[in-house]
Amino acid sequence: MDTIKGIKGVKDILPEETPRWRLIEDSARRWALCYGYQEIRIPLFELTALFARSIGAETDIVEKEMYTFPDRDGTSLTLRPEGTAGTVRAFIEHNRAADPLPQKYFYIGPMFRHERPQAGRLRQFHQFGVEFFGTSDPRADIEVIALLWRLLSDLALPALTLEINSLGSSGDRAAYKPLLRSFLSQQESRLCVNCRRRMKTNPLRVLDCKVPDCRAATESAPRLIDHLSPEALAHFDQVLAGLVAIGIPYRLNPRLVRGLDYYCLTSFEITSTHLGAQNAVGAGGRYDGLVEMLGGPSVPAVGFAIGLERVVLMLPRPSSSSFNECLYYVAAFGEKGTKLGLGLLEELRRIGLSAQCDYRAITLKAHLRQADRSKCRYAILVGDDEAARGSVILRNLSSKAQEELPLAGLSSLLKTRTFSS
Ligand code: HAM
């Protein structure tokens, strides 16, 4: 019979990989809490309209990458392609703006985009993201960038660059769009079909197109950064000055427009030359109009998300394999030994000492082979002779040193030793 395979671009994370994932997730949680963010858990799927309205109907995500399906009553639902829209929806729905602001949230979880799978680009991927609601102060922008930078630096990721740009206010963009459009119309023959269409409806998206010909054609396009209002410019200058003050290096990238429509003012991306074509480890920016656009009050906000698969790809390999953290292998054999072993195994686990056993092994030799394979630190040998003496043999599996210990009170003795060593 044919075996059923997993879906293309949707990966299993196997037990030997989960310690790396836990390390990243634990670190992300620690840093988020340290900066005063609280965890929010939002649904994996939402009404399609939420994403279309927030991310933008003419973005790649909404046009070609969403997993959208009708619910049984015909309502259009979508697997979340990112976490900002859901967090904003929850913020509005639970009337959080009535509570004291600012409010700071973080989330970790799977996202879904139907992209062409390649290294660092999947169809189910994971993000750690933060959203800071309630202030338009540039120090909030600096704070989220600092959190992102500290987290990635703490994980010792190599060759990171913070690229930053300002997308101005909505008024700045409205004034800039005709300039861009008229430039693009002169380049129309060099643009891809998508860009020709978007040129008319949403010309900023053309600057984000990954097609090499489009990139070349827009090389000398007018720059939004040269058309910022004094307020937007002042905001940007304060963000940059703050980054200098706290020692975070950046590179201005006037082409950075981001692939989602909700951004304004500060937008940024952290890239690494250690990643291939998909070189963005994390990205974000300010989205002051989104809460209101989704039906809430006017609440400014800023945030970012990192792609955990990309972090995993870049994480330095640990020098030794600490794969199995189990402490004890219980090697129980013989009639009485086997009976005692069952109780001992359970007792160790009950008091919080990790322990395992291969129930198929019935001889000491077979147990010792399995104990070595298990990568436990110790084996506890208990056969009929030990049972008769009321003792066990504790064997250190790396040094092979052995000692005989009384069975009575063994688990508390081991617990004392474990937690005092
Ligand atoms: P984004 O740039 O679409 O922004 O995604 C953020 C990060 O998620 C990317 O930099 C990348 O590391 C990772 N990522 C995106 N797509 C994939 C994929 N197909 N496979 C693997 N990793 C991927 C957002 O999602 C915004 N919601 C970020 C944000 C939060 N802005 C404000 N708050």
Side-chain angles (χ1 to χ4, degrees), residues 82 84 113 115 120 122 127 131 258 262-263 280-281 303-304 307:
E82 55 106 53
T84 309
R113 296 185 194 175
E115 295 194 78
L122 291 123
Q127 281 186 347
E131 315 294 354
R258 309 280 297 115
Y262 49 63
Y263 291 113
V281 193
F304 72 77

Side-chain angles (χ1 to χ4, degrees), residues 103-147:
Q103 286 169 37
K104 311 201 284 188
Y105 301 92
F106 78 88
Y107 48 84
I108 302 183
M111 309 290 164
F112 308 86
R113 296 185 194 175
H114 190 275
E115 295 194 78
R116 203 163 38 77
Q118 62 182 79
R121 187 164 72 190
L122 291 123
R123 292 185 172 169
Q124 174 175 316
F125 61 99
H126 297 76
Q127 281 186 347
F128 159 70
V130 312
E131 315 294 354
F132 184 150
F133 293 101
T135 172
S136 47
D137 192 304
R139 283 172 293 181
D141 312 33
I142 299 166
E143 177 181 303
V144 297
I145 295 173
L147 165 54

Side-chain angles (χ1 to χ4, degrees), residues 11 139 264 266 303 336 339 368 383 398:
K11 278 198 178 165
R139 283 172 293 181
C264 63
T266 318
K336 294 206 181 74
K339 271 193 197 136
L368 286 179
S398 50

Side-chain angles (χ1 to χ4, degrees), residues 270-287:
I270 294 204
T271 57
S272 171
T273 46
H274 280 235
L275 287 169
Q278 304 307 315
N279 64 353
V281 193
R286 192 161 264 293
Y287 51 96

